[in-house]
Amino acid sequence: MSEEAKKNNYSADSIQALEGMEHVRMRPSMYIGDVGPRGLHHLVYEVVDNSIDEALAGYCDTISVTINEDNSITVEDNGRGIPVDIHKKEGVSALEVVMTKIGAGGKFDKDSYKVSGGLHGVGVSVVNALSDHMHSTVFRDGKVYEQEYEKGKSIYPVRQIGETDKRGTTQTFKPDGTIFTQTLEYSYDTLAARMRELSYLNKGISITLTDKREVKEDGSFLSETFHSSEGLKEFVKFLDGNREPIIAHVISMESDKGEIPVEVALIYNTSYSENIFSYVNNINTHEGGTHLSGFRRGLTNTLKKYADNSGLLEKLKFEISGDDFREGLTAIISVKVAEPQFEGQTKTKLGNREVVAPVSQAVSEMLENYLEENPNDARTIVQKVILAAQARHAAKKAREMVQRKTVMGGGGLPGKLSDCSEQDPAKCEVFLVEGDSAGGTAKQGRDRAFQAIMPLRGKILNVEKAMHHKVFENEEIRNIFTALGVTIGTAEDSKALNLDKLRYHKVVIMCDADVDGSHISTLILTFFFRFMKELIENGHVYIATPPLYLVKKGNKKEYAWTEAQRDDANERMGGGATIQRYKGLGEMNAEQLWETTMNPEFRTLRQVSIDSLAEADRIFSMLMGDEVPPRREFIEKNAAYAKIDA
Ligand code: 0RA
């Protein structure tokens, strides 16, 4: 290439880089999913992932993440430091290339493939593009270097600012408020859940999370360090902390023979649910994929073979199905794949076919060894499988009953449902209301054109503790299925949820704003989480927020949701206002309920979302399981559904 051509080529490249940055700012959702709280937190994961990669390459064992007072984030690691030498092709520092060129991340080190990477694996330049301000500091070869950026553009060339005996990289960024218009506030709990998860998935790394917005009485900051020496084995123990194990040990293995590193850990507990979490390159693959298929295949084949040889199956009159091997199972599968292909609606389904066999083989080998060495546990597992098969038969009958009633419309809609007149589900809402009396008020207060009311009798069944056929036999729960128009089971998958005939796109849980009310909300949410997860994942589930106070003086009245709002309103009225504390929905009349809680113009609905399936599972098992003390503690500390609201 001539000098002239090189020059042209260089400027063409930098124009492309600029366009890349502009494109990220114009279409941020394409890179980070959304610009709500989820996308905001995603920025942190993207930066931390670079440090995790450095740790996986073997050069870093300590990462610290700090939420600064101004909601900017600092991520620090003790790796080799991002190289700062001049990048041959670009003519600028490698650091600058990584920070300002979309898609450059890590490419210059071709010996270590990038295995971690956020959901979209987009690189730190995307974070830079979406930040008001970003500051990189590199400690390398005895020197300290820095560079700063505004909205993704460097404001000076990389410069040396001192000497050091430290090694590592420090990144500080402040998300751009013109892009993240909804909120710029970081949630400590959300970041903590992800850092904890990362520490289990990448054992040996210490990740410290510090919140400088929270100063404790002794002057120190809120801070936790996550570190796991046993990895997935500890992750399983953590997840099942509130369930009762039926076998002596967590069964686990790790294999890095061959191309694909596989880690698996599992345990069986007394519950009836299946909890399998699968990860690819530290990303939770909600939709499963080939690694999950490999796991299932290995588990089913091995246990089936063992059960057949044990003679325990002789009295069983029907075939055991794959599902039966997974009742009461909690498992985690983590694989690292060099070039993952993500498929599915949310791009969280692994497509790489070559992953099936290594996972299946690893699982078989692990289980064979365990069953061989622990014959008592082996017998316990097989007995559990037999019970599951029997219960499945009972559940199938009960389910068919729900189905018949739903599909054939024999009984029609439940008698308690007051339906709306609108036919387009996208415009329809249904309120699940605690108690018949509040249900009556809601029925009077609603806009019957598009709002339906379904009163629920007291506390609905705690599905966390019930066998599945009991759940499907329960009338209240059958009514919910029927009212929503949701059915279970397709030709390929007997447990798949069918939302095609969903009758309302908004399903609103409306309960009293007290302890009982939040317990009932939690019961309903637990049911949705275990039996209609897709309803939550597709954003159909909401929680209504009735006010806590009515502040009245003369002909002025205001509703308040917090103590601060209450005192504020009182002050605005000149003090001395009458304050009514609503103890339940029942104390409001129809008009008040409409104005404050149901009218789309004024109400606040909290959309229920699941940040981390693993965390949600743990919380529901804790809130609804057998162990009372942790539940009490949690409910006392939090407003019941604290972790799962939007
Ligand atoms: C590639 C090569 C080298 C370091 C890194 C990447 C690196 C990147 C990040 C991102 C955050 N922290 C990081 N730490 C290191 C250096 C290769 C060498 O020194 O030979």
Side-chain angles (χ1 to χ4, degrees):
M1 207 185 282
S2 73
E3 280 311 306
E4 184 63 26
K6 253 189 208 156
K7 219 167 112 197
N8 283 341
N9 198 36
Y10 172 67
S11 47
D13 271 3
S14 40
I15 289 166
Q16 235 178 10
L18 181 70
E19 280 178 346
M21 292 307 247
E22 289 298 309
H23 194 253
V24 175
R25 292 181 56 80
M26 257 158 51
R27 298 257 181 287
S29 310
M30 278 180 61
Y31 297 84
I32 56 164
D34 65 58
V35 289
R38 210 179 276 223
L40 185 76
H41 289 79
H42 188 85
L43 300 180
V44 183
Y45 308 152
E46 205 61 56
V47 178
V48 171
D49 280 340
N50 286 297
S51 300
I52 297 269
D53 277 340
E54 184 67 357
L56 293 178
Y59 299 102
C60 157
D61 63 8
T62 307
I63 300 172
S64 96
V65 178
T66 305
I67 312 172
N68 301 306
E69 288 102 309
D70 63 349
N71 271 293
S72 67
I73 297 284
T74 300
V75 177
E76 200 176 341
D77 71 45
N78 66 345
R80 291 168 294 178
I82 299 179
V84 289
D85 47 324
I86 301 299
H87 194 273
K88 284 192 196 74
K89 188 169 150 246
E90 308 289 337
V92 293
S93 159
L95 173 63
E96 177 154 354
V97 176
V98 175
M99 296 303 296
T100 60
K101 210 179 159 196
I102 301 302
K107 285 276 168 56
F108 46 92
D109 188 1
K110 54 182 179 314
D111 293 334
S112 76
Y113 53 75
K114 187 171 164 60
V115 291
S116 97
L119 180 55
H120 308 263
V122 288
V124 68
S125 53
V126 167
V127 177
N128 195 11
L130 301 178
S131 293
D132 249 354
H133 188 260
M134 188 149 185
H135 188 167
S136 304
T137 314
V138 171
F139 305 84
R140 192 175 156 86
D141 303 328
K143 301 189 180 73
V144 186
Y145 303 89
E146 69 168 357
Q147 186 168 41
E148 286 171 82
Y149 321 84
E150 268 163 18
K151 301 188 196 305
K153 291 185 191 126
S154 67
I155 54 180
Y156 54 80
V158 174
R159 63 189 181 199
Q160 191 195 322
I161 52 166
E163 307 203 329
T164 182
D165 46 19
K166 265 182 31 172
R167 259 180 9 147
T169 305
T170 301
Q171 300 275 26
T172 298
F173 64 93
K174 173 106 179 75
D176 187 338
T178 64
I179 294 193
F180 299 93
T181 48
Q182 209 180 322
T183 178
L184 287 171
E185 193 151 329
Y186 276 105
S187 150
Y188 179 87
D189 288 342
T190 300
L191 293 179
R194 177 61 179 158
M195 297 310 130
R196 180 184 293 112
E197 186 178 44
L198 282 172
S199 74
Y200 286 128
L201 291 168
N202 304 281
K203 66 180 167 201
I205 308 179
S206 284
I207 311 178
T208 300
L209 176 65
T210 303
D211 191 343
K212 290 200 169 169
R213 303 166 307 181
E214 292 280 335
V215 188
K216 292 194 287 197
E217 273 176 24
D218 66 358
S220 65
F221 299 119
L222 172 63
S223 181
E224 276 172 282
T225 296
F226 305 103
H227 175 270
S228 171
S229 49
E230 292 187 304
L232 298 193
K233 199 175 196 171
E234 279 176 279
F235 198 178
V236 163
K237 283 186 201 157
F238 173 73
L239 286 174
D240 261 18
N242 300 299
R243 297 191 181 101
E244 206 182 313
I246 59 167
I247 59 175
H249 311 281
V250 176
I251 309 176
S252 70
M253 59 74 51
E254 219 176 300
S255 128
D256 40 21
K257 313 179 266 195
E259 301 275 278
I260 300 161
V262 180
E263 278 184 79
V264 179
L266 65 86
I267 196 161
Y268 280 93
N269 57 56
T270 57
S271 85
Y272 306 103
S273 35
E274 164 186 333
N275 283 303
I276 307 181
F277 301 104
S278 64
Y279 294 85
V280 175
N281 304 347
N282 293 331
I283 301 159
N284 190 183
T285 35
H286 291 203
E287 297 172 280
T290 49
H291 52 331
L292 185 61
S293 309
F295 172 84
R296 287 181 170 166
R297 183 182 296 177
L299 184 90
T300 304
N301 289 349
T302 310
L303 287 180
K304 201 162 196 325
K305 198 162 86 191
Y306 188 92
D308 282 338
N309 293 337
S310 71
L312 289 164
L313 297 188
E314 272 155 24
K315 48 190 172 193
L316 208 62
K317 293 184 200 68
F318 39 79
E319 272 287 294
I320 295 188
S321 98
D323 292 349
D324 302 332
F325 294 100
R326 300 190 296 272
E327 209 174 275
L329 172 71
T330 295
I332 303 165
I333 308 144
S334 171
V335 297
K336 303 268 161 65
V337 180
E339 282 178 47
Q341 282 135 30
F342 290 112
E343 303 169 348
Q345 281 202 325
T346 55
K347 292 273 173 280
T348 57
K349 181 175 184 181
L350 184 67
N352 306 50
R353 300 302 314 168
E354 73 277 12
V355 174
V356 180
V359 178
S360 146
Q361 277 158 21
V363 170
S364 296
E365 201 174 304
M366 159 185 92
L367 266 178
E368 274 162 22
N369 289 338
Y370 188 89
L371 299 175
E372 194 77 29
E373 284 161 26
N374 301 272
N376 285 339
D377 281 358
R379 176 172 287 269
T380 307
I381 295 173
V382 173
Q383 274 158 353
K384 169 115 183 155
V385 171
I386 293 172
L387 280 177
Q390 286 163 341
R392 180 172 50 85
H393 271 246
K396 189 156 172 270
K397 289 208 187 88
R399 213 157 39 214
E400 280 164 2
M401 238 152 71
V402 180
Q403 217 81 305
R404 248 197 315 281
K405 287 202 175 156
T406 318
V407 178
M408 323 265 280
L413 292 167
K416 300 201 303 173
L417 174 73
S418 305
D419 208 3
C420 52
S421 49
E422 172 63 50
Q423 295 291 314
D424 176 5
K427 294 181 187 149
C428 294
E429 311 178 342
V430 62
F431 286 78
L432 306 179
V433 188
E434 168 188 357
D436 286 333
S437 102
T441 316
K443 202 177 143 183
Q444 284 168 23
R446 68 175 170 154
D447 182 334
R448 66 173 58 237
F450 67 99
Q451 293 180 320
I453 306 295
M454 171 86 180
L456 297 176
R457 200 189 317 120
K459 307 217 158 171
I460 77 160
L461 181 73
N462 180 355
V463 301
E464 196 68 34
K465 292 207 283 189
M467 287 179 78
H468 284 195
H469 67 96
K470 292 279 179 223
V471 175
F472 292 109
E473 279 162 15
N474 181 279
E475 192 184 340
E476 204 83 45
I477 283 178
R478 287 224 305 258
N479 281 342
I480 297 179
F481 270 105
T482 317
L484 299 188
V486 173
T487 55
I488 316 155
T490 60
E492 307 103 66
D493 183 349
S494 69
K495 278 189 178 171
L497 198 68
N498 186 351
L499 293 180
D500 294 347
K501 298 216 170 68
L502 181 66
R503 302 180 61 249
Y504 313 93
H505 281 198
K506 285 199 173 79
V507 178
V508 186
I509 301 170
M510 188 159 74
C511 292
D512 290 344
D514 63 4
V515 177
D516 261 1
S518 64
H519 188 220
I520 294 169
S521 303
T522 313
L523 283 167
I524 302 172
L525 280 174
T526 308
F527 163 67
F528 283 140
F529 182 68
R530 295 289 178 214
F531 289 85
M532 294 194 192
K533 193 174 279 153
E534 293 91 330
L535 202 66
I536 302 182
E537 286 177 334
N538 296 350
H540 293 302
V541 181
Y542 297 81
I543 294 172
T545 53
L548 284 177
Y549 305 98
L550 173 61
V551 185
K552 238 161 98 175
K553 192 172 169 190
N555 54 6
K556 280 187 252 169
K557 71 170 188 192
E558 264 186 64
Y559 298 99
W561 278 259
T562 62
E563 285 177 22
Q565 284 176 356
R566 175 197 65 191
D567 299 343
D568 229 40
N570 185 18
E571 220 162 279
R572 253 180 290 123
M573 293 178 192
T578 318
I579 289 163
Q580 184 187 349
R581 166 97 165 88
Y582 288 123
K583 290 194 203 69
L585 298 169
E587 292 182 18
M588 269 183 270
N589 63 33
E591 193 198 329
Q592 289 170 328
L593 191 60
W594 164 254
E595 278 178 359
T596 60
T597 315
M598 299 178 75
N599 181 351
E601 261 186 78
F602 301 114
R603 72 186 180 192
T604 311
L605 293 184
R606 296 195 296 158
Q607 188 174 38
V608 178
S609 70
I610 312 174
D611 276 336
S612 156
L613 283 180
E615 185 66 6
D617 167 64
R618 204 184 64 86
I619 287 172
F620 282 121
S621 74
M622 171 175 86
L623 291 176
M624 295 297 150
D626 290 316
E627 309 246 347
V628 177
R631 169 164 70 238
R632 169 150 314 146
E633 196 182 307
F634 184 86
I635 291 180
E636 278 166 10
K637 256 183 25 208
N638 299 277
Y641 34 77
K643 288 262 174 69
I644 41 166
D645 59 5

